[in-house]
Amino acid sequence: MPKRSGRAPASRALAAVAAVLTLTLSVAFSSTASADELEDRKAAIEAEKEKVHQDYEYLGEDIAETVAKLNVYKGQLPAAQQQLADAEARVDSAAGKVSALNERVALAQETHETITAQIEKDREDIAATEKAIGQIASQAYKNGGVPSTLSLMFGAKGADSLSDSLGMAEQALKGQNAAVEKLSEQNANNVNSEARLVAVADEINKLKAQAEEALMAEQSARDSAAAEKQKVDDLVAQTSAMNQELEAQKPQLQAQMATLEKESAQVTADIAEKQRVLLEEYRKREQARIDAENRAAAEEAARNNRPAPPAAAVPQPSNPSSFGLRYPVNGAPVSSGFGWRATPAGSIDFLGNGGYLHSGIDFAPSCGTPVHAPAAGHVWRADQGGGEMIGTGNRIVLNHGVVEGNALATNYYHLNSFAVSSGQWVNQGQLIGYVGSTGNSTGCHLHFETVLNGDLVDPMRLL
């Protein structure tokens, strides 16, 4: 959870607002959502609110819930946008299918009309052909039938008469055969056309049924897209109202953050000053020790008529892990780590710092969990943080002194109660207090800080 920092103290309100209050409108469930969707949204908001409580300690319940809703809505935005895009794509696809089917129906109807016209023409042609065959048969009957070749020869009155008779007979036969052949062909075409007409009519019926289904699908897709659009519109209004609510509280939050910033800087400065004195005293002692050792070495060399050895210097600070810190609570997970966290682009940054520093780490055990000294030291503070640090609740500050050139202090906030008092010496592992949720806190947790040589550092470097 955000805490105090040298650059930009992490008041929880600043952390919450800077990190999550984006001005970009998101998507959530609309008022027309189903009961299951509303229950899912409620559960998601409650889970997110717990996370907000863990991440942003100095945040009131109402603001935490608003921030949680914004986070949930923001998380739902990609899926909701995709659902809307999919719905719109289904509308386009359905509309395209309806259009294509309508074109096919129109083409099939045109084919149906063409075939119907062809059948009508074929019927007229068949009727004309049958009439011609009837005329040929009638003429032959009147003439006693088509004469044989022999009768034509005997009845002829000369060569020319015979020739004419044969020609007429041949033409009559050819005309009759051609008419019969044409009639057969026209009947075959008519049968084929009738079959095609049945097939086309069947296709038209199927296409019309498909077109009706496609039209219903298109309407369903349009209804779905309209519902998704309604969700977006509803959320736009909801998110706008939330942003207005948070903006209305901006002056109050700004005043609170300014106070916390000042208080945080003062406490860190107090610890830094005490550590500066400790380090100065340590260096003086070390310098006196080294000087004494150098003088003794020089005197020893003079007594033995040897050159004096090079003068030793005060050693540089060693690795701070030499303090050997243990975890202050056993088996508790770290719910929030240490470090600078940038403000997302487009968000409201109330103090203009571009982000905040979470200046410690948070452990999330249950209330009443014992807290133990991670290393031996003196209790600098064991108080309620009244006046100077209202947001910390019950707090303890342990001074672990100077070890190999490094000065270390550890801070414990929001304790339920103390097991030590100011000025007391504690050993490593000794009980010093119990986890709580005092001060400006919305859930049981322990905020643990390490101040090394006057600076807040990541406790994980030392544990």
Side-chain angles (χ1 to χ4, degrees), residues 315-335:
Q316 294 297 313
S318 65
N319 191 312
S321 62
S322 57
F323 283 95
L325 292 188
R326 298 177 183 174
Y327 280 80
V329 287
N330 297 323
V334 175
S335 59

Side-chain angles (χ1 to χ4, degrees), residues 87 90-91 93-99 101-102 207-225:
R90 289 194 296 272
V91 170
S93 176
K97 187 173 183 179
V98 169
S99 178
L101 286 170
N102 286 336
L207 287 175
K208 284 183 176 180
Q210 293 176 15
E212 289 177 1
E213 290 179 2
L215 191 61
M216 293 174 62
E218 178 188 2
Q219 186 58 51
S220 175
R222 291 188 184 279
D223 292 343
S224 176

Side-chain angles (χ1 to χ4, degrees), residues 103 105 148-149 163 250 287 348 393 402:
E103 290 180 2
V105 168
S148 65
T149 303
S163 176
K250 182 175 178 179
Q287 188 64 59
I348 303 174
V402 179

Side-chain angles (χ1 to χ4, degrees), residues 81-422:
Q81 287 179 326
Q82 186 60 51
Q83 289 173 357
L84 179 56
D86 292 345
E88 291 174 342
R90 289 194 296 272
V91 170
D92 292 340
S93 176
K97 187 173 183 179
V98 169
S99 178
L101 286 170
N102 286 336
E103 290 180 2
R104 290 179 62 187
V105 168
L107 181 61
Q109 287 178 334
E110 183 179 344
T111 302
H112 188 278
E113 293 172 358
T114 300
I115 293 174
T116 300
Q118 183 64 46
I119 289 175
E120 184 62 28
K121 183 177 182 302
D122 288 344
R123 286 174 178 170
E124 292 176 356
D125 291 344
I126 288 172
T129 302
E130 288 176 343
K131 182 178 180 181
I133 292 174
Q135 290 175 345
I136 293 173
S138 175
Q139 188 63 36
Y141 177 78
K142 290 178 180 179
N143 293 332
V146 178
S148 65
T149 303
L150 186 60
S151 64
L152 288 173
M153 292 177 62
F154 282 121
K157 298 179 181 180
D160 290 339
S161 176
L162 179 60
S163 176
D164 291 341
S165 297
L166 288 173
M168 290 173 60
E170 183 178 3
Q171 288 178 5
L173 286 172
K174 284 183 178 181
Q176 186 173 358
N177 289 338
V180 171
E181 183 177 348
K182 182 177 181 181
L183 179 62
S184 176
E185 181 180 346
Q186 288 172 336
N187 280 323
N189 288 339
N190 188 58
V191 170
N192 183 56
S193 296
E194 292 283 359
R196 286 181 60 203
L197 187 64
V198 172
V200 170
D202 184 57
E203 182 183 8
I204 288 174
N205 291 332
K206 290 179 179 180
L207 287 175
K208 284 183 176 180
Q210 293 176 15
E212 289 177 1
E213 290 179 2
L215 191 61
M216 293 174 62
E218 178 188 2
Q219 186 58 51
S220 175
R222 291 188 184 279
D223 292 343
S224 176
E228 295 300 331
K229 181 65 167 57
Q230 185 61 49
K231 291 178 183 180
V232 174
D233 292 342
D234 288 346
L235 183 62
V236 166
Q238 294 169 9
T239 307
S240 177
M242 291 176 196
N243 280 327
Q244 290 176 8
E245 178 183 343
L246 292 167
E247 283 287 351
Q249 300 186 43
K250 182 175 178 179
Q252 177 185 352
L253 291 175
Q254 282 179 316
Q256 179 186 0
M257 287 183 290
T259 300
L260 291 172
E261 182 178 27
K262 181 179 178 181
E263 293 171 350
S264 175
Q266 184 61 53
V267 168
T268 303
D270 289 346
I271 294 175
E273 176 58 23
K274 290 181 178 181
Q275 290 183 333
R276 184 193 66 77
V277 172
L278 291 175
L279 287 170
E280 185 176 346
E281 293 173 350
Y282 168 82
R283 282 190 289 267
K284 286 180 179 179
R285 290 195 303 270
E286 285 297 293
Q287 188 64 59
R289 182 182 62 81
I290 292 297
D291 289 345
E293 290 178 356
N294 286 336
R295 285 194 301 270
E299 291 171 359
E300 178 68 20
R303 283 194 298 269
N304 294 307
N305 295 319
R306 294 197 305 267
V314 176
Q316 294 297 313
S318 65
N319 191 312
S321 62
S322 57
F323 283 95
L325 292 188
R326 298 177 183 174
Y327 280 80
V329 287
N330 297 323
V334 175
S335 59
S336 186
F338 175 94
W340 180 259
R341 298 172 185 177
T343 300
S347 66
I348 303 174
D349 187 358
F350 283 103
L351 292 184
N353 295 313
Y356 63 94
L357 176 68
H358 185 218
S359 54
I361 60 175
D362 293 325
F363 295 98
S366 59
C367 277
T369 298
V371 180
H372 300 93
H378 280 102
V379 179
W380 267 351
R381 287 186 177 183
D383 55 36
Q384 295 180 340
E388 186 181 29
M389 282 295 290
I390 298 173
T392 66
N394 294 332
R395 66 181 177 186
I396 291 175
V397 178
L398 294 184
N399 167 35
H400 302 288
V402 179
V403 176
E404 298 183 7
N406 292 301
L408 177 67
T410 52
N411 303 329
Y412 312 80
Y413 299 133
H414 310 298
L415 299 172
N416 184 52
S417 59
F418 309 113
V420 295
S421 57
S422 296

